[in-house]
Amino acid sequence: MSDDRAVAAAPAGRLNLRLGQLLRLERERARLSQRALAARAGTSQQCVSRFETGFYAPTTAVVERLFEALGCQVRADVEALDADLDESIAVARRERDDDIRFMLGNLGSLLRWSGGLDYVIDGELAAALQGVPVRVTRADVAVAAADLPRLTDWIFTLPNCERWNERWRDFVGADRDPNRPGPLRWWTPLAELRVRLLETRPTPVPVVAGAEEVPVRPLLDVLRDDPQLDRVARRARVLGA
């Protein structure tokens, strides 16, 4: 089997995603391009790219060759399921109030341009507001599909706003219009903004944050739609027990 077929043979799981991240870090530390690493390892640039981005799982033989070409070896170990989250959970518990206060302030500033968009807080911020120990790195909101025109007006009103380009894996070169295909993600100077379009706006859970009450998507719905947040919530329950 060729390396490319080996890479495409199975979808990547968490282990493969982590190995891909480590390979990219070691390659960049060695100041090698994907093409140069591929030449050293006797494989293709496509193989290296697919592995690093986590889209596909390589065989163990390919993994060993790629790391050996960088003067490294992979060491395997076993730990409790989701134990890799423990450090980030501990940090999130310490920083929770500051994270929430900071992101709510930035989201409020962004919403000043929204023209009264009917929204609920979603994603990381919604989970943190409902007790999940997760770092809040972006502002997520959910809106009804019927509010797409108002959402469009809001996005075009936001200053210095760039949309996520799925092909380039960066916030550049994509039409910011929410009606165009692609992930509903935008970079702004205040925060990354992500929007989830739902058939109807969910009935919010009122959560008091500081001196105000904010509309939050119910936690079970948030966790159902975000496997990574669900992992954090499950691991936090284990640690709490």
Side-chain angles (χ1 to χ4, degrees):
M1 177 182 289
S2 71
D3 286 346
D4 288 342
R5 288 180 61 194
V7 168
R14 292 203 303 268
L15 177 59
N16 297 113
L17 290 171
R18 180 58 181 154
L19 285 171
Q21 293 169 352
L22 289 173
L23 181 69
R24 178 178 57 80
L25 289 172
E26 292 300 327
R27 176 180 60 78
E28 291 175 349
R29 185 176 289 119
R31 298 184 178 181
L32 290 175
S33 67
Q34 290 182 347
R35 189 177 301 278
L37 174 58
R40 282 191 181 187
T43 186
S44 68
Q45 184 270 334
Q46 184 183 33
C47 171
V48 177
S49 176
R50 286 181 171 180
F51 181 19
E52 288 189 353
T53 53
F55 288 146
Y56 298 99
T59 65
T60 53
V62 173
V63 171
E64 288 183 337
R65 286 217 318 272
L66 287 169
F67 279 98
E68 285 173 0
L70 293 167
C72 303
Q73 65 182 18
V74 178
R75 184 179 65 186
D77 204 349
V78 176
E79 62 184 6
L81 184 64
D82 296 329
D84 58 299
L85 300 172
D86 291 359
E87 183 177 351
S88 63
I89 287 173
V91 173
R93 283 175 168 156
R94 292 196 302 268
E95 305 294 336
R96 176 182 179 273
D97 292 344
D98 289 341
D99 279 357
I100 289 174
R101 188 182 307 111
F102 177 77
M103 195 55 67
L104 279 177
N106 286 347
L107 178 58
S109 297
L110 292 172
L111 288 166
R112 291 184 190 132
W113 286 285
S114 72
L117 179 70
D118 199 11
Y119 73 96
V120 295
I121 294 172
D122 196 13
E124 294 174 346
L125 183 53
L129 283 163
Q130 295 175 89
V132 177
V134 61
R135 296 305 306 270
V136 183
T137 61
R138 61 181 190 261
D140 292 66
V141 297
V143 302
D147 278 337
L148 183 57
R150 182 168 288 179
L151 171 64
T152 302
D153 291 341
W154 179 32
I155 295 300
F156 277 108
T157 303
L158 291 175
N160 302 317
C161 176
E162 295 284 348
R163 189 174 180 183
W164 177 257
N165 188 316
E166 188 68 11
R167 180 179 178 184
W168 294 353
R169 312 295 293 175
D170 199 359
F171 290 99
V172 63
D175 190 330
R176 73 156 73 179
D177 187 352
N179 296 276
R180 301 288 189 185
L184 298 181
R185 296 175 56 184
W186 295 267
W187 177 89
T188 79
L190 289 172
E192 179 186 344
L193 174 67
R194 296 193 187 188
V195 178
R196 189 187 306 276
L197 280 182
L198 301 172
E199 185 175 345
T200 59
R201 172 182 172 272
T203 302
V205 175
V207 175
V208 176
E212 64 177 329
E213 185 177 275
V214 293
V216 179
R217 192 177 182 208
L219 182 59
L220 288 179
D221 294 342
V222 174
L223 299 183
R224 180 195 64 214
D225 289 343
D226 193 319
Q228 180 62 17
L229 288 177
D230 187 51
R231 281 186 69 211
V232 174
R234 286 189 285 107
R235 182 61 181 170
R237 287 195 292 271
V238 171
L239 294 175

